[in-house]
Amino acid sequence: MSFHECPPPGCQGSGAGAIKLRISPKERDLGGFSVRRVLPSGKLPMLGPFIFWDQMGPAQFPEGQGMDVRPHPHIGLATITFLFEGAIMHRDSVGSVQEIRPGDVNWMTAGRGIVHSERSPEHARGGRLYGIQSWIALPADQQEVAPEFSHHPAATLPVKSGDGWQLRLIAGSLMGMRSPVTALSPIFYADLQLEPGASLSLEAPYTDRGLYPVQGRIEFGGEHFETGTMVVAASGSALEIRNPGTEPARAMLMGGEPFPEKRIIWWNFVGTSEARIDQAKADWKAQRFESVAGETEFIPLPDR
């Protein structure tokens, strides 16, 4: 991952001083579709409670093929899946079976432990897939909550619009809106769409804020950005975002308050205790996690 810190005299205010970091993701091919991993990064392990950030695709699967992520475990985090194209079938160990389509939100709280699989449904095989999956670390006193899953159709998410822009709130609170998606710590996560030339000035009262273009070009802090760069805003600066191009643009906006405790991330496990992570490793290796009904495969514990 590469990054650049903003130049002197600091990172406050408008213009280039509004930019704290620029993070380029590491691209991986996961069997037919491209993944760009932005978080964690060496210089930014977390953005607020956001500890993991993957751009899935855009990818075109060959005929009859699709995404097939076998059952795997999580602890100490919540996952958020949001799609722009395609569909994913989610199955988990608390009995959830839910297809997600563009604009919907799948929110899974792992808590003390959950197992899930993610596969392309039959009707979506041979099609396209494009979306974002991120992890939110849970507060220290809620890491062992009971696992649960919730699905929120696009029509249930609050929306605000203005002159050439529309903002859909995925999770948390922003601009006087509150999402029905229950987050266990203060965050905002939004989908912003801008027509050519349109702009939005946004006060986001959180310590950590970032944006990630997913379509077209975005102007922020006097610079232009395209898909493939996460821009971390300086603390205290307004988010002044513009579409400088001739085509529609789209960006994900996110942020929240950092935790006082350091988080450990090992494979799919997040926590504040090495001993708890080690216990999760041992439990998965011994197959003591609950299983996913209808699934016979699983991803073995990695060697490292």
Side-chain angles (χ1 to χ4, degrees):
M1 312 229 175
S2 63
F3 77 99
H4 308 277
E5 291 188 299
C6 63
C11 294
Q12 303 298 319
S14 59
I19 300 172
K20 181 178 179 181
L21 296 173
R22 306 162 184 83
I23 305 173
S24 298
K26 185 176 182 179
E27 189 160 350
R28 299 182 180 185
D29 180 15
L30 298 183
F33 67 99
S34 175
V35 171
R36 292 178 173 183
R37 182 156 299 164
V38 181
L39 295 177
S41 125
K43 290 294 182 178
L44 189 71
M46 298 175 67
L47 191 149
F50 287 82
I51 195 169
F52 183 94
W53 180 277
D54 260 6
Q55 175 191 330
M56 304 180 292
Q60 174 66 54
F61 289 108
E63 184 176 356
Q65 296 185 26
M67 176 180 180
D68 279 299
V69 179
R70 294 166 291 162
H72 56 282
H74 292 284
I75 68 164
L77 58 87
T79 66
I80 315 171
T81 305
F82 188 83
L83 298 182
F84 311 114
E85 298 180 71
I88 297 174
M89 183 65 75
H90 165 98
R91 291 182 173 87
D92 64 41
S93 55
V94 298
S96 312
V97 178
Q98 178 64 58
E99 181 175 325
I100 182 173
R101 298 196 177 197
D104 298 345
V105 175
N106 273 6
W107 179 285
M108 184 183 75
T109 300
R112 60 177 175 257
I114 198 168
V115 179
H116 74 135
S117 66
E118 298 159 292
R119 301 182 185 273
S120 297
E122 287 302 319
H123 70 82
R125 290 185 176 269
R128 288 178 60 80
L129 181 67
Y130 186 23
I132 300 289
Q133 189 168 80
S134 53
W135 298 355
I136 304 282
L138 299 181
D141 62 351
Q142 299 188 69
Q143 294 177 106
E144 299 295 325
V145 297
E148 64 177 10
F149 173 84
S150 62
H151 174 77
H152 302 269
T156 65
L157 302 178
V159 175
K160 277 196 176 182
S161 58
D163 186 10
W165 61 267
Q166 176 182 282
L167 185 142
R168 183 181 303 273
L169 184 62
I170 297 170
S173 58
L174 189 67
M175 299 182 74
M177 299 183 290
R178 180 171 293 278
S179 169
V181 179
T182 302
L184 298 181
S185 56
I187 67 166
F188 75 92
Y189 188 26
D191 173 21
L192 174 65
Q193 299 185 57
L194 295 165
E195 294 299 322
S199 62
L200 174 64
S201 182
L202 178 64
E203 292 292 339
Y206 295 87
T207 301
D208 293 351
R209 293 90 44 76
L211 63 94
Y212 188 84
V214 294
Q215 177 187 350
R217 285 193 299 163
I218 295 292
E219 181 181 310
F220 177 74
E223 299 185 33
H224 293 181
F225 299 95
E226 298 180 349
T227 300
T229 301
M230 177 174 280
V231 185
V232 181
S235 181
S237 62
L239 298 179
E240 298 180 0
I241 305 162
R242 190 176 78 90
N243 177 2
T246 58
E247 300 293 332
R250 192 171 189 175
M252 308 302 283
L253 313 181
M254 79 296 297
E257 295 304 317
F259 292 129
E261 319 89 357
K262 180 183 176 181
R263 287 302 183 278
I264 302 162
I265 180 170
W266 192 94
W267 191 39
N268 300 315
F269 306 138
V270 170
T272 52
S273 163
E274 289 278 6
R276 181 65 182 93
I277 299 290
D278 289 343
Q279 182 63 57
K281 294 179 193 177
D283 288 344
W284 183 246
K285 191 170 184 179
Q287 289 295 287
R288 287 191 288 262
F289 278 79
E290 295 292 329
S291 61
V292 179
E295 293 273 13
T296 57
E297 299 178 299
F298 68 93
I299 300 176
L301 186 77
D303 292 332
R304 59 178 180 175

